[in-house]
Amino acid sequence: MSQSEGTPVTAAAVVNIVQYILVRGDLISKLEWPLGAVVAQACHASSAALHLFYEDPITQSYLKDLDNMHKVILEVPDEQELLAVEKVLQSKEIKFKKWIEQPENYPTCIALKPYVKTDVQKLLRKYKMLK
């Protein structure tokens, strides 16, 4: 059982807790959204995931040290890839929030709940940091 499935979190694990956020790169490159609007999407998704999974022990550990929270913002090329990632995460029972911008109804990003890095990193390796 991984640490994110309910086993106690050790002090060593707390420093390795990360929240991954996957953002569509085409929002900037092709759809020409302002950078601030794209950043807002990631913020919305992150906040929503923290709220949805607030009672989770890993989320609680993550929030106990606000000055040292670690987030990794990754880029997926487009909506199709974002939806493909969603299916993979669902199949692996990884908890997340997909943010859908309204009123346009655009899926813009996915924020995972905080996880011990080694529990999810392998699923996201192919994606690079958002540029």
Side-chain angles (χ1 to χ4, degrees), residues 21-36:
I21 303 167
L22 297 107
V23 178
R24 287 177 47 189
D26 67 331
L27 295 175
I28 299 168
S29 64
K30 292 186 178 136
L31 299 175
E32 299 181 351
W33 284 28
L35 181 58

Side-chain angles (χ1 to χ4, degrees), residues 68-109:
N68 293 298
M69 291 189 296
H70 186 75
K71 290 184 180 11
V72 176
I73 314 300
L74 301 174
E75 180 177 346
V76 297
D78 53 30
E79 180 178 352
Q80 181 179 356
E81 185 67 18
L82 187 73
L83 299 177
V85 170
E86 176 183 31
K87 288 180 182 177
V88 169
L89 296 174
Q90 288 171 333
S91 74
K92 302 293 184 184
E93 298 182 4
I94 301 297
K95 296 175 182 173
F96 64 91
K97 170 64 177 166
K98 177 174 66 176
W99 190 257
I100 301 177
E101 179 62 12
Q102 297 299 331
E104 298 88 352
N105 208 35
Y106 286 149
T108 59
C109 55

Side-chain angles (χ1 to χ4, degrees), residues 50-70:
L50 292 171
H51 178 75
L52 287 171
F53 304 108
Y54 182 78
E55 298 297 326
D56 177 85
I58 301 292
T59 301
Q60 286 293 304
S61 294
Y62 181 77
L63 293 171
K64 282 184 181 171
D65 191 3
L66 293 176
D67 292 330
N68 293 298
M69 291 189 296
H70 186 75

